[in-house]
Amino acid sequence: MFEMITKADFAVLKFAESLHNPLLDTIMSAITFLGDGAYLWIGIAIILLFIPKQRKTGVTVLVGLIVFHVVCNTGLKNIIARPRPFTLMPELWNSIPAMVDVPKSFSMPSGHTMSSVLSAFLIGKNVDRLRIPTYVMAALIAFSRIYVLVHYPSDVIVGAVLGVILGIIIDKLFKLKKQTV
């Protein structure tokens, strides 16, 4: 089964390589940059802290991002230890101009995707007018990770699924806490 997933991953990466052009490279580099360090999501959460009606959502997102960091970046990535695509497919990496710095962490799951989906889920669940824009941004960040060839599609899918799962857990915990207070 893993062999089939790996073959599909490589096929999608080769397709992504075929999409490369200077304009799209610039756009996708900028989008992937927005996911770096979850700074976009931290910034949105901080803005929400200053809106009394949305303060709880801001806190929920920030707590979610802290939990994400522990679960993903210090936990799962090091346990799974999947090499990045460019280490197994250097011909792809060498065929295009460098659009991002070479990541030093492991590949699975995609942290950019997981933090983006988690944040978009929590924001979208609580702030109606931000639901679609945050979902679109999370999807673009997720796709950009494949486009810039630093993640396999399966890394992005797993990151998205884990982002939703973690979002549901965090949301339920905050609602439970509200009921007990």
Side-chain angles (χ1 to χ4, degrees), residues 103-132:
K104 292 171 182 33
S105 64
F106 291 110
S107 193
M108 170 76 82
S110 167
H112 280 66
T113 302
M114 189 172 168
S115 64
S116 295
V117 169
L118 164 69
S119 300
F121 175 86
L122 292 171
I123 293 166
K125 189 148 177 58
N126 297 294
V127 187
D128 289 340
R129 65 179 166 245
L130 293 180
R131 182 175 296 128
I132 299 300

Side-chain angles (χ1 to χ4, degrees), residues 2-18 82-92 146 149 151-154:
F2 289 116
E3 187 176 315
M4 186 174 74
I5 292 169
T6 301
K7 282 183 182 180
D9 278 340
F10 287 149
V12 172
L13 285 171
K14 287 183 183 199
F15 173 73
E17 179 195 29
S18 74
R82 185 179 195 189
R84 296 277 180 169
F86 54 79
T87 61
L88 300 177
M89 299 176 71
E91 69 280 3
L92 285 181
I146 296 166
L149 304 174
H151 278 292
Y152 300 98
S154 57

Side-chain angles (χ1 to χ4, degrees), residues 8 26 31 54 68 70 77 91 94 96 107 126 150 172:
T26 301
I31 290 171
Q54 298 304 331
F68 145 77
V70 172
K77 280 186 180 276
E91 69 280 3
N94 295 331
I96 57 167
S107 193
N126 297 294
V150 295
K172 296 263 188 237

Side-chain angles (χ1 to χ4, degrees), residues 14-56:
K14 287 183 183 199
F15 173 73
E17 179 195 29
S18 74
L19 299 175
H20 283 256
N21 65 66
L23 176 62
L24 209 47
D25 290 357
T26 301
I27 292 168
M28 286 295 130
S29 294
I31 290 171
T32 212
F33 176 75
L34 290 174
D36 287 356
Y39 297 126
L40 170 68
W41 306 111
I42 292 168
I44 293 170
I46 289 170
I47 291 168
L48 292 174
L49 291 175
F50 290 103
I51 304 169
K53 217 168 105 177
Q54 298 304 331
R55 190 167 289 134
K56 181 182 163 226

